[in-house]
Amino acid sequence: QVQMVESGGGLVQPGGSLRLSCAASGRTFSSSAMGWFRQAPGKEREFVAAIGWSSGSTYCADSVKGRFTISRDTAKNTGFLQMNSLKPEDTAIYYCAAGSGSTSTHQYRDWGQGTHVTVSS
């Protein structure tokens, strides 16, 4: 119904910054929220942040609170994840998804293919 495409990943040093983008296409984004999740090798996919599409309300996981900021441009059907003060433990594949805004992967229907983020000296 809607295609999600992440971009902006790459290799950065600890303490560096990166901004991820998530472009929704196919139709106007109409889900309740856009969420960001990440998955490191050997670990489950975990919630990072979500934003209510209409309200703009945001929620971030404790592990990234104060360092990451989620936002969206509704006119462009695009969400963003600004990542500052990056740590090696932030290394993962980052996914965006359209869904309810909950912290559960099961409440999101449309997923992107992911973009790699590597934080290393």
Side-chain angles (χ1 to χ4, degrees):
Q1 206 79 330
V2 59
Q3 294 77 50
M4 315 290 288
V5 181
E6 305 94 336
S7 62
L11 173 64
V12 297
Q13 292 187 326
S17 297
L18 211 57
R19 189 177 81 153
L20 306 183
S21 298
C22 176
S25 62
R27 63 173 177 83
T28 302
F29 192 88
S30 60
S31 297
S32 296
M34 177 180 288
W36 287 92
F37 294 77
R38 66 186 182 186
Q39 188 165 23
K43 296 185 177 180
E44 294 185 350
R45 191 169 299 186
E46 69 172 348
F47 173 81
V48 176
I51 184 167
W53 204 251
S54 295
S55 69
S57 298
T58 62
Y59 179 75
C60 294
D62 289 342
S63 59
V64 305
K65 192 173 184 179
R67 299 187 298 120
F68 291 12
T69 302
I70 187 170
S71 62
R72 88 285 197 235
D73 184 338
T74 57
K76 296 183 178 181
N77 291 332
T78 301
F80 304 95
L81 185 68
Q82 177 66 47
M83 306 185 294
N84 299 325
S85 302
L86 284 162
K87 305 175 181 179
E89 51 262 46
D90 295 318
T91 296
I93 303 174
Y94 283 71
Y95 301 88
C96 68
S100 70
S102 79
T103 61
S104 173
T105 60
H106 300 294
Q107 298 300 313
Y108 293 81
R109 179 180 177 86
D110 301 303
W111 291 81
Q113 291 299 118
T115 185
H116 291 254
V117 172
T118 302
V119 185
S120 180
S121 298

